[in-house]
Amino acid sequence: MLSVVVAPWARDAVPVFERRADELHDAASTMKVAVLAALVRGGADLDAQIPVVNRFESVVGGEFGNDPAWDSDPLPWELIGTRAPLRLLAERMITHSSNLATNLCLARTDQQSVAEVWRRAGATRSATPRGIEDYAAREAGVHNRVSAGDLVRLLHSLADEPELLTLLERNDFRVDLAAGLPPGTRIAFKNGWVPGARLCVGVVHPADCPPYVLAVCYSGPLADGSDRTDPAARLLARVSAAVWECRHDINQPEGDGK
């Protein structure tokens, strides 16, 4: 299943292309954008030194931990047993998609604040009610899921928070949407991957026309769950490249497109 939404970056702009925009996919690491927004909007002291641990409260009771084998970032694991700046962990959550850093950040906010981020964005179906690898919650039917339409709404909701978008520009995993753009093209984006799903949302800033937002979500056997060599990443790159070729029409007033 492939979902695609393309929209101008202009405030209140409606999408110019939608394909299965409301279909739900495993959120994977795209939910980390909502965690980041909840953390910053909640006034967390990003310069605070917090304990780096690997035990977290499950939303259904009990505790759980992350598996380093499923994490794409080794740095937070090297800090286990020490204290680290919350700012560093928030950055690694986005730039290197650290699962451990995500749960440490989530512990400094709460699920209600994350839900408020989605509500404020105008999300219609997406929700991320549990932490990364909270398998007891997943088995109890508590799922992190997103739609392409809601991912576009989420990025639009960050328009007045340039510091968050700047952090998204530093994403190190440039193998899907970013790979479909000409080298050096500015893009603020977050991707996610698990076996069976690959998805990404980003704000693309061409040099020759206004910016646009693109969300592509794929669920299916092509996604093998690898961070940089996932065959589904190449599918997303092809979609991104096709949208790039039409970039001049995205912000055209209705009826003025070619």
Side-chain angles (χ1 to χ4, degrees):
M1 177 174 62
L2 182 67
S3 301
V4 181
V5 175
V6 183
W9 179 234
R11 190 182 300 275
D12 299 325
V14 299
V16 298
F17 178 83
E18 295 180 303
R19 182 184 192 275
R20 294 185 171 179
D22 296 324
E23 295 286 347
L24 289 175
H25 301 257
D26 190 314
S29 292
T30 60
M31 57 86 72
K32 296 169 183 177
V33 178
V35 174
L36 176 68
L39 192 69
V40 172
R41 292 173 185 173
D45 181 3
L46 296 181
D47 294 317
Q49 299 276 336
I50 70 167
V52 181
V53 298
N54 187 28
R55 298 307 302 171
F56 308 101
E57 292 184 12
S58 170
V59 297
V60 295
E63 293 185 328
F64 71 98
N66 290 117
D67 182 349
W70 284 103
D71 206 329
S72 56
D73 185 12
L75 188 146
W77 292 93
E78 296 169 3
L79 300 175
I80 290 281
T82 70
R83 302 176 76 89
L86 182 57
R87 184 183 307 277
L88 171 66
L89 297 170
E91 290 175 354
R92 301 299 289 201
M93 171 175 69
I94 299 299
T95 62
H96 289 72
S97 210
S98 167
N99 291 339
L100 180 60
T102 300
N103 285 336
L104 289 165
C105 289
L106 189 55
R108 294 288 155 164
T109 178
D110 53 59
Q111 296 294 349
Q112 291 74 25
S113 297
V114 177
E116 174 60 18
V117 169
W118 286 112
R119 188 204 66 78
R120 177 173 162 180
T124 60
R125 302 199 68 195
S126 301
T128 50
R130 63 170 175 83
I132 302 286
E133 297 178 60
D134 185 352
Y135 296 131
R138 187 180 68 180
E139 291 170 4
V142 181
H143 299 292
N144 292 336
R145 289 178 175 151
V146 296
S147 69
D150 284 342
L151 286 175
V152 167
R153 295 181 184 99
L154 178 60
L155 280 205
H156 267 136
S157 75
L158 305 182
D160 295 326
E161 297 169 283
E163 69 281 7
L164 303 188
L165 293 169
T166 298
L167 182 56
L168 292 176
E169 290 186 28
R170 292 166 49 196
N171 186 346
D172 192 58
F173 294 94
R174 310 183 74 85
V175 296
D176 39 52
L177 292 193
L181 304 173
T185 302
R186 181 182 167 200
I187 177 173
F189 68 110
K190 185 70 192 81
N191 32 23
W193 52 89
V194 292
R198 182 97 193 189
L199 52 168
C200 190
V201 61
V203 185
V204 181
H205 294 266
D208 57 354
C209 67
Y212 61 89
V213 192
L214 170 63
V216 185
C217 304
Y218 167 80
S219 294
L222 193 62
D224 67 9
S226 57
D227 51 13
R228 300 185 191 273
T229 60
D230 185 358
R234 296 194 290 274
L235 170 63
L236 269 63
R238 291 197 297 272
V239 174
S240 181
V243 173
W244 174 264
E245 291 301 315
C246 302
R247 66 192 181 281
H248 294 288
D249 297 326
I250 294 173
N251 288 274
Q252 291 277 4
E254 187 173 354
D256 290 352
K258 296 181 181 179

